[in-house]
PDB file of all heavy atoms in Angstrom:
ATOM      1  N   ASN A 123      45.927 147.003 236.773  1.00 92.00           N
ATOM      2  CA  ASN A 123      45.082 146.741 235.603  1.00 92.00           C
ATOM      3  C   ASN A 123      45.755 147.120 234.290  1.00 92.00           C
ATOM      4  O   ASN A 123      45.118 147.126 233.243  1.00 92.00           O
ATOM      5  CB  ASN A 123      43.742 147.462 235.748  1.00 92.00           C
ATOM      6  CG  ASN A 123      42.875 146.835 236.809  1.00 92.00           C
ATOM      7  OD1 ASN A 123      42.965 145.635 237.064  1.00 92.00           O
ATOM      8  ND2 ASN A 123      42.051 147.625 237.451  1.00 92.00           N
ATOM      9  N   HIS A 124      47.039 147.449 234.360  1.00 89.00           N
ATOM     10  CA  HIS A 124      47.849 147.716 233.159  1.00 89.00           C
ATOM     11  C   HIS A 124      47.271 148.844 232.310  1.00 89.00           C
ATOM     12  O   HIS A 124      47.239 148.760 231.091  1.00 89.00           O
ATOM     13  CB  HIS A 124      48.003 146.448 232.310  1.00 89.00           C
ATOM     14  CG  HIS A 124      48.480 145.273 233.082  1.00 89.00           C
ATOM     15  ND1 HIS A 124      49.758 145.141 233.542  1.00 89.00           N
ATOM     16  CD2 HIS A 124      47.820 144.173 233.519  1.00 89.00           C
ATOM     17  CE1 HIS A 124      49.887 144.010 234.204  1.00 89.00           C
ATOM     18  NE2 HIS A 124      48.731 143.400 234.218  1.00 89.00           N
ATOM     19  N   ARG A 125      46.797 149.898 232.973  1.00 86.00           N
ATOM     20  CA  ARG A 125      46.167 151.003 232.249  1.00 86.00           C
ATOM     21  C   ARG A 125      47.169 151.975 231.645  1.00 86.00           C
ATOM     22  O   ARG A 125      46.845 152.647 230.673  1.00 86.00           O
ATOM     23  CB  ARG A 125      45.262 151.793 233.194  1.00 86.00           C
ATOM     24  CG  ARG A 125      44.136 151.014 233.755  1.00 86.00           C
ATOM     25  CD  ARG A 125      42.959 151.063 232.820  1.00 86.00           C
ATOM     26  NE  ARG A 125      41.818 150.479 233.487  1.00 86.00           N
ATOM     27  CZ  ARG A 125      41.049 149.579 232.922  1.00 86.00           C
ATOM     28  NH1 ARG A 125      41.253 149.204 231.702  1.00 86.00           N
ATOM     29  NH2 ARG A 125      40.039 149.078 233.570  1.00 86.00           N
ATOM     30  N   LEU A 126      48.344 152.074 232.245  1.00 92.00           N
ATOM     31  CA  LEU A 126      49.267 153.143 231.867  1.00 92.00           C
ATOM     32  C   LEU A 126      50.697 152.646 231.708  1.00 92.00           C
ATOM     33  O   LEU A 126      51.119 151.741 232.414  1.00 92.00           O
ATOM     34  CB  LEU A 126      49.307 154.212 232.970  1.00 92.00           C
ATOM     35  CG  LEU A 126      48.039 154.948 233.316  1.00 92.00           C
ATOM     36  CD1 LEU A 126      48.224 155.705 234.619  1.00 92.00           C
ATOM     37  CD2 LEU A 126      47.705 155.909 232.199  1.00 92.00           C
ATOM     38  N   LYS A 127      51.391 153.316 230.826  1.00 95.00           N
ATOM     39  CA  LYS A 127      52.848 153.250 230.808  1.00 95.00           C
ATOM     40  C   LYS A 127      53.297 154.574 231.413  1.00 95.00           C
ATOM     41  O   LYS A 127      52.859 155.631 230.969  1.00 95.00           O
ATOM     42  CB  LYS A 127      53.373 153.096 229.390  1.00 95.00           C
ATOM     43  CG  LYS A 127      52.999 151.790 228.737  1.00 95.00           C
ATOM     44  CD  LYS A 127      53.508 151.768 227.312  1.00 95.00           C
ATOM     45  CE  LYS A 127      52.985 150.574 226.563  1.00 95.00           C
ATOM     46  NZ  LYS A 127      51.540 150.644 226.285  1.00 95.00           N
ATOM     47  N   LEU A 128      54.123 154.505 232.432  1.00 95.00           N
ATOM     48  CA  LEU A 128      54.492 155.714 233.171  1.00 95.00           C
ATOM     49  C   LEU A 128      55.979 156.003 233.080  1.00 95.00           C
ATOM     50  O   LEU A 128      56.801 155.079 233.006  1.00 95.00           O
ATOM     51  CB  LEU A 128      54.158 155.559 234.656  1.00 95.00           C
ATOM     52  CG  LEU A 128      52.708 155.633 235.083  1.00 95.00           C
ATOM     53  CD1 LEU A 128      52.589 155.306 236.562  1.00 95.00           C
ATOM     54  CD2 LEU A 128      52.137 157.012 234.815  1.00 95.00           C
ATOM     55  N   ILE A 129      56.278 157.282 233.108  1.00 95.00           N
ATOM     56  CA  ILE A 129      57.629 157.768 233.325  1.00 95.00           C
ATOM     57  C   ILE A 129      57.537 158.662 234.553  1.00 95.00           C
ATOM     58  O   ILE A 129      56.654 159.521 234.636  1.00 95.00           O
ATOM     59  CB  ILE A 129      58.141 158.604 232.133  1.00 95.00           C
ATOM     60  CG1 ILE A 129      58.200 157.769 230.863  1.00 95.00           C
ATOM     61  CG2 ILE A 129      59.498 159.218 232.459  1.00 95.00           C
ATOM     62  CD1 ILE A 129      58.489 158.593 229.611  1.00 95.00           C
ATOM     63  N   THR A 130      58.412 158.444 235.533  1.00 96.00           N
ATOM     64  CA  THR A 130      58.479 159.386 236.643  1.00 96.00           C
ATOM     65  C   THR A 130      59.760 160.185 236.466  1.00 96.00           C
ATOM     66  O   THR A 130      60.765 159.672 235.974  1.00 96.00           O
ATOM     67  CB  THR A 130      58.464 158.681 238.013  1.00 96.00           C
ATOM     68  OG1 THR A 130      59.669 157.949 238.190  1.00 96.00           O
ATOM     69  CG2 THR A 130      57.269 157.740 238.120  1.00 96.00           C
ATOM     70  N   PHE A 131      59.676 161.454 236.861  1.00 94.00           N
ATOM     71  CA  PHE A 131      60.837 162.313 236.673  1.00 94.00           C
ATOM     72  C   PHE A 131      61.014 163.247 237.868  1.00 94.00           C
ATOM     73  O   PHE A 131      60.072 163.522 238.613  1.00 94.00           O
ATOM     74  CB  PHE A 131      60.727 163.122 235.370  1.00 94.00           C
ATOM     75  CG  PHE A 131      59.549 164.065 235.323  1.00 94.00           C
ATOM     76  CD1 PHE A 131      59.700 165.399 235.676  1.00 94.00           C
ATOM     77  CD2 PHE A 131      58.310 163.618 234.911  1.00 94.00           C
ATOM     78  CE1 PHE A 131      58.627 166.278 235.620  1.00 94.00           C
ATOM     79  CE2 PHE A 131      57.219 164.483 234.863  1.00 94.00           C
ATOM     80  CZ  PHE A 131      57.371 165.805 235.213  1.00 94.00           C
ATOM     81  N   ALA A 132      62.242 163.687 238.043  1.00 95.00           N
ATOM     82  CA  ALA A 132      62.564 164.684 239.066  1.00 95.00           C
ATOM     83  C   ALA A 132      62.590 166.041 238.368  1.00 95.00           C
ATOM     84  O   ALA A 132      63.493 166.316 237.576  1.00 95.00           O
ATOM     85  CB  ALA A 132      63.913 164.379 239.709  1.00 95.00           C
ATOM     86  N   PRO A 133      61.586 166.881 238.619  1.00 91.00           N
ATOM     87  CA  PRO A 133      61.486 168.143 237.874  1.00 91.00           C
ATOM     88  C   PRO A 133      62.704 169.055 238.024  1.00 91.00           C
ATOM     89  O   PRO A 133      63.158 169.629 237.028  1.00 91.00           O
ATOM     90  CB  PRO A 133      60.235 168.800 238.459  1.00 91.00           C
ATOM     91  CG  PRO A 133      59.448 167.694 239.054  1.00 91.00           C
ATOM     92  CD  PRO A 133      60.448 166.679 239.524  1.00 91.00           C
ATOM     93  N   LYS A 134      63.219 169.213 239.228  1.00 92.00           N
ATOM     94  CA  LYS A 134      64.334 170.141 239.411  1.00 92.00           C
ATOM     95  C   LYS A 134      65.611 169.669 238.720  1.00 92.00           C
ATOM     96  O   LYS A 134      66.330 170.454 238.113  1.00 92.00           O
ATOM     97  CB  LYS A 134      64.596 170.363 240.900  1.00 92.00           C
ATOM     98  CG  LYS A 134      63.517 171.183 241.565  1.00 92.00           C
ATOM     99  CD  LYS A 134      63.836 171.465 243.004  1.00 92.00           C
ATOM    100  CE  LYS A 134      62.703 172.287 243.623  1.00 92.00           C
ATOM    101  NZ  LYS A 134      62.904 172.513 245.041  1.00 92.00           N
ATOM    102  N   GLN A 135      65.874 168.376 238.795  1.00 92.00           N
ATOM    103  CA  GLN A 135      67.082 167.832 238.165  1.00 92.00           C
ATOM    104  C   GLN A 135      66.862 167.538 236.674  1.00 92.00           C
ATOM    105  O   GLN A 135      67.813 167.282 235.950  1.00 92.00           O
ATOM    106  CB  GLN A 135      67.515 166.543 238.862  1.00 92.00           C
ATOM    107  CG  GLN A 135      67.968 166.718 240.294  1.00 92.00           C
ATOM    108  CD  GLN A 135      66.791 166.746 241.286  1.00 92.00           C
ATOM    109  OE1 GLN A 135      65.674 166.374 240.951  1.00 92.00           O
ATOM    110  NE2 GLN A 135      67.055 167.198 242.499  1.00 92.00           N
ATOM    111  N   GLU A 136      65.584 167.542 236.259  1.00 90.00           N
ATOM    112  CA  GLU A 136      65.218 167.240 234.872  1.00 90.00           C
ATOM    113  C   GLU A 136      65.767 165.889 234.430  1.00 90.00           C
ATOM    114  O   GLU A 136      66.382 165.768 233.364  1.00 90.00           O
ATOM    115  CB  GLU A 136      65.669 168.355 233.939  1.00 90.00           C
ATOM    116  CG  GLU A 136      65.016 169.688 234.250  1.00 90.00           C
ATOM    117  CD  GLU A 136      65.435 170.790 233.295  1.00 90.00           C
ATOM    118  OE1 GLU A 136      66.461 170.637 232.609  1.00 90.00           O
ATOM    119  OE2 GLU A 136      64.726 171.810 233.245  1.00 90.00           O
ATOM    120  N   VAL A 137      65.558 164.888 235.276  1.00 93.00           N
ATOM    121  CA  VAL A 137      65.996 163.536 234.935  1.00 93.00           C
ATOM    122  C   VAL A 137      64.843 162.550 235.135  1.00 93.00           C
ATOM    123  O   VAL A 137      63.974 162.758 235.982  1.00 93.00           O
ATOM    124  CB  VAL A 137      67.203 163.067 235.791  1.00 93.00           C
ATOM    125  CG1 VAL A 137      68.420 163.905 235.493  1.00 93.00           C
ATOM    126  CG2 VAL A 137      66.883 163.094 237.267  1.00 93.00           C
ATOM    127  N   ILE A 138      64.883 161.510 234.332  1.00 94.00           N
ATOM    128  CA  ILE A 138      63.909 160.433 234.456  1.00 94.00           C
ATOM    129  C   ILE A 138      64.332 159.544 235.618  1.00 94.00           C
ATOM    130  O   ILE A 138      65.500 159.168 235.733  1.00 94.00           O
ATOM    131  CB  ILE A 138      63.834 159.623 233.148  1.00 94.00           C
ATOM    132  CG1 ILE A 138      63.246 160.507 232.036  1.00 94.00           C
ATOM    133  CG2 ILE A 138      63.000 158.358 233.343  1.00 94.00           C
ATOM    134  CD1 ILE A 138      63.276 159.881 230.664  1.00 94.00           C
ATOM    135  N   LYS A 139      63.373 159.219 236.483  1.00 95.00           N
ATOM    136  CA  LYS A 139      63.651 158.369 237.639  1.00 95.00           C
ATOM    137  C   LYS A 139      63.265 156.908 237.370  1.00 95.00           C
ATOM    138  O   LYS A 139      63.973 156.003 237.772  1.00 95.00           O
ATOM    139  CB  LYS A 139      62.912 158.877 238.886  1.00 95.00           C
ATOM    140  CG  LYS A 139      63.250 160.310 239.264  1.00 95.00           C
ATOM    141  CD  LYS A 139      64.719 160.488 239.584  1.00 95.00           C
ATOM    142  CE  LYS A 139      64.998 160.113 241.007  1.00 95.00           C
ATOM    143  NZ  LYS A 139      66.366 160.378 241.425  1.00 95.00           N
ATOM    144  N   GLN A 140      62.104 156.701 236.738  1.00 94.00           N
ATOM    145  CA  GLN A 140      61.630 155.332 236.504  1.00 94.00           C
ATOM    146  C   GLN A 140      60.841 155.245 235.205  1.00 94.00           C
ATOM    147  O   GLN A 140      60.158 156.192 234.829  1.00 94.00           O
ATOM    148  CB  GLN A 140      60.631 154.894 237.586  1.00 94.00           C
ATOM    149  CG  GLN A 140      61.109 154.776 238.965  1.00 94.00           C
ATOM    150  CD  GLN A 140      59.965 154.250 239.837  1.00 94.00           C
ATOM    151  OE1 GLN A 140      59.701 153.054 239.866  1.00 94.00           O
ATOM    152  NE2 GLN A 140      59.287 155.146 240.531  1.00 94.00           N
ATOM    153  N   TRP A 141      60.935 154.080 234.581  1.00 94.00           N
ATOM    154  CA  TRP A 141      60.044 153.708 233.492  1.00 94.00           C
ATOM    155  C   TRP A 141      59.181 152.579 234.049  1.00 94.00           C
ATOM    156  O   TRP A 141      59.730 151.582 234.522  1.00 94.00           O
ATOM    157  CB  TRP A 141      60.823 153.189 232.285  1.00 94.00           C
ATOM    158  CG  TRP A 141      61.650 154.228 231.602  1.00 94.00           C
ATOM    159  CD1 TRP A 141      62.876 154.669 231.983  1.00 94.00           C
ATOM    160  CD2 TRP A 141      61.314 154.955 230.421  1.00 94.00           C
ATOM    161  NE1 TRP A 141      63.341 155.621 231.121  1.00 94.00           N
ATOM    162  CE2 TRP A 141      62.396 155.814 230.137  1.00 94.00           C
ATOM    163  CE3 TRP A 141      60.221 154.951 229.574  1.00 94.00           C
ATOM    164  CZ2 TRP A 141      62.408 156.658 229.040  1.00 94.00           C
ATOM    165  CZ3 TRP A 141      60.230 155.794 228.481  1.00 94.00           C
ATOM    166  CH2 TRP A 141      61.308 156.641 228.216  1.00 94.00           C
ATOM    167  N   ILE A 142      57.884 152.736 234.004  1.00 93.00           N
ATOM    168  CA  ILE A 142      56.989 151.708 234.530  1.00 93.00           C
ATOM    169  C   ILE A 142      56.127 151.227 233.381  1.00 93.00           C
ATOM    170  O   ILE A 142      55.262 151.939 232.882  1.00 93.00           O
ATOM    171  CB  ILE A 142      56.136 152.260 235.689  1.00 93.00           C
ATOM    172  CG1 ILE A 142      57.065 152.757 236.785  1.00 93.00           C
ATOM    173  CG2 ILE A 142      55.155 151.198 236.201  1.00 93.00           C
ATOM    174  CD1 ILE A 142      56.398 153.587 237.848  1.00 93.00           C
ATOM    175  N   ILE A 143      56.421 150.016 232.957  1.00 91.00           N
ATOM    176  CA  ILE A 143      55.756 149.443 231.792  1.00 91.00           C
ATOM    177  C   ILE A 143      55.008 148.199 232.235  1.00 91.00           C
ATOM    178  O   ILE A 143      55.616 147.295 232.808  1.00 91.00           O
ATOM    179  CB  ILE A 143      56.783 149.085 230.708  1.00 91.00           C
ATOM    180  CG1 ILE A 143      57.591 150.320 230.340  1.00 91.00           C
ATOM    181  CG2 ILE A 143      56.092 148.492 229.485  1.00 91.00           C
ATOM    182  CD1 ILE A 143      58.826 150.041 229.516  1.00 91.00           C
TER     183      ILE A 143
END
Side-chain angles (χ1 to χ4, degrees):
N123 289 331
H124 308 288
R125 298 273 189 228
L126 299 167
K127 294 177 188 70
L128 286 174
I129 298 171
T130 68
F131 62 95
K134 289 184 180 176
Q135 294 83 15
E136 298 182 342
V137 295
I138 293 173
K139 302 299 276 186
Q140 296 183 81
W141 292 81
I142 301 168
I143 303 167

